[in-house]
Amino acid sequence: KFGIKMMFEDICKSIRRDVAKMMHKSYSSHIGGCYSVTEILVTLYFEILNIDPKNPRKDDRDILLLSKAHSSPTLYAILSKKGFFPKENLDTYYQDGGKLPGHLDKEAAPGIEFSFGSLGHGLSVGAGMALANKRMNNPGRVFVILGDGECNEGSVWEAAMFAPHHNLSNLTAVIDYNKIQSFGATNEVINQEPIFDKWKSFGWKVLEIDGHDHDALFDAFNSPHENLPKMIIAHTVKGKGVSFMENSLDWHYKSPNDEQLELALKELGE
């Protein structure tokens, strides 16, 4: 178990290094949210999802929808590490003529299941996919990653009603609850608490965990659905892994300059 944890931490550091370099080269935003979701996505792609880089469209695959698509660099870095496309493609992120756009485009690279940009769509799309799989007796599961600020969108709560009504036990959603959105603290913009009780009252199985804890994530993803859709409220830290970025609103929009990149990479073990 210790060896698995060390490997997990090494992968997460590697992904964060790749993201820092992508953000620095492209002068792009959202590194804080990329870092808060890293452990969630690494756990899914390296231990949970039934996927095959050699056959990314296989009918019975699990589907991951990154509804908070401004964290696309983390997903790109993981997909390249899993062999969906060459790592050199990361150098073209958010560049004119590049292969990887700032928000997700399902035509840009294998492993991207749906095009996302404007927030609030992912859970509805995921619920529709889960319902289709259920009706076709397809064993593929659907996982949706939401931002906490994204839960201000009304479309999220329409899907929240829809999924339990149809007993979508093949649907798992995760809220990356880093508590900071574009204009301030999430619950100062619109208070979502008690968020656990709200999702539970809609008919979901709800779990609340540390979103950077490997064991907690692994157990939450593997816990039985009990014939209900599952919501995992993952408490995370914006900018996790780099001390001067953690819990800072600045890093919702800033990209690291040369000196900051060097400092970040040093903290991340390079």
Side-chain angles (χ1 to χ4, degrees):
K1 196 168 184 179
F2 177 76
I4 292 173
K5 185 176 181 180
M6 290 294 293
M7 181 179 70
F8 175 77
E9 291 175 355
D10 287 345
I11 293 171
C12 289
K13 285 184 179 180
S14 172
I15 298 302
R16 287 188 169 99
R17 291 195 297 267
D18 288 341
V19 168
K21 293 172 186 176
M22 294 161 69
M23 294 292 197
H24 172 260
K25 184 174 182 180
S26 61
Y27 302 101
S28 57
S29 306
H30 305 303
I31 192 169
C34 287
Y35 282 1
S36 63
V37 81
T38 298
E39 280 81 4
I40 295 167
L41 288 175
V42 167
T43 302
L44 282 165
Y45 275 93
F46 286 86
E47 298 191 82
I48 302 297
L49 296 178
N50 172 28
I51 51 173
D52 182 359
K54 296 178 181 177
N55 185 14
R57 306 299 294 178
K58 67 175 184 171
D59 288 341
D60 64 347
R61 72 190 182 281
D62 291 336
I63 290 174
L64 186 286
L65 301 175
L66 183 61
S67 189
K68 50 167 284 178
H70 45 288
S71 294
S72 61
T74 304
L75 180 55
Y76 291 144
I78 290 171
L79 289 174
S80 72
K81 200 172 189 68
K82 291 291 292 183
F84 280 86
F85 54 80
K87 186 171 182 178
E88 302 83 72
N89 290 12
L90 300 183
D91 292 333
T92 74
Y93 169 71
Y94 215 27
Q95 306 287 317
D96 288 343
K99 297 180 182 295
L100 302 175
H103 283 83
L104 296 172
D105 179 352
K106 72 183 184 69
E107 303 299 328
I112 305 298
E113 295 284 0
F114 200 86
S115 302
F116 288 112
S118 181
L119 293 168
H121 298 159
L123 192 58
S124 295
V125 172
M129 289 178 169
L131 180 61
N133 277 0
K134 193 166 188 176
R135 290 187 172 177
M136 293 188 295
N137 294 315
N138 185 328
R141 301 168 297 173
V142 181
F143 297 80
V144 182
I145 312 299
L146 303 162
D148 52 359
E150 182 177 11
C151 293
N152 295 348
E153 300 281 355
S155 52
V156 171
W157 298 97
E158 292 178 39
M161 288 187 287
F162 180 92
H165 178 78
H166 291 281
N167 300 115
L168 298 183
S169 56
N170 55 347
L171 174 64
T172 298
V174 185
I175 295 175
D176 177 17
Y177 199 8
N178 62 36
K179 303 173 187 65
I180 297 174
Q181 61 185 89
S182 55
F183 296 115
T186 301
N187 289 325
E188 289 179 3
V189 176
I190 294 181
N191 186 21
Q192 297 181 20
E193 292 294 347
I195 194 167
F196 182 100
D197 295 339
K198 287 176 180 174
W199 284 95
K200 189 171 181 62
S201 73
F202 275 70
W204 290 64
K205 175 177 178 177
V206 187
L207 302 170
E208 197 164 9
I209 64 167
D210 178 348
H212 299 299
D213 184 306
H214 166 265
D215 292 340
L217 285 161
F218 185 83
D219 290 345
F221 284 124
N222 283 310
S223 67
H225 276 257
E226 299 163 9
N227 204 34
L228 298 171
K230 185 196 301 180
M231 169 55 74
I232 300 171
I233 300 168
H235 291 272
T236 59
V237 174
K238 196 123 181 173
K240 176 71 174 179
V242 175
S243 60
F244 60 86
M245 295 182 184
E246 290 187 355
N247 286 317
S248 171
L249 175 61
D250 290 351
W251 293 98
H252 188 87
Y253 286 121
K254 281 176 66 172
S255 56
N257 59 28
D258 292 350
E259 181 183 359
Q260 290 163 336
L261 175 66
E262 185 177 350
L263 289 171
L265 292 177
K266 185 176 181 180
E267 284 197 34
L268 295 168
E270 182 165 296

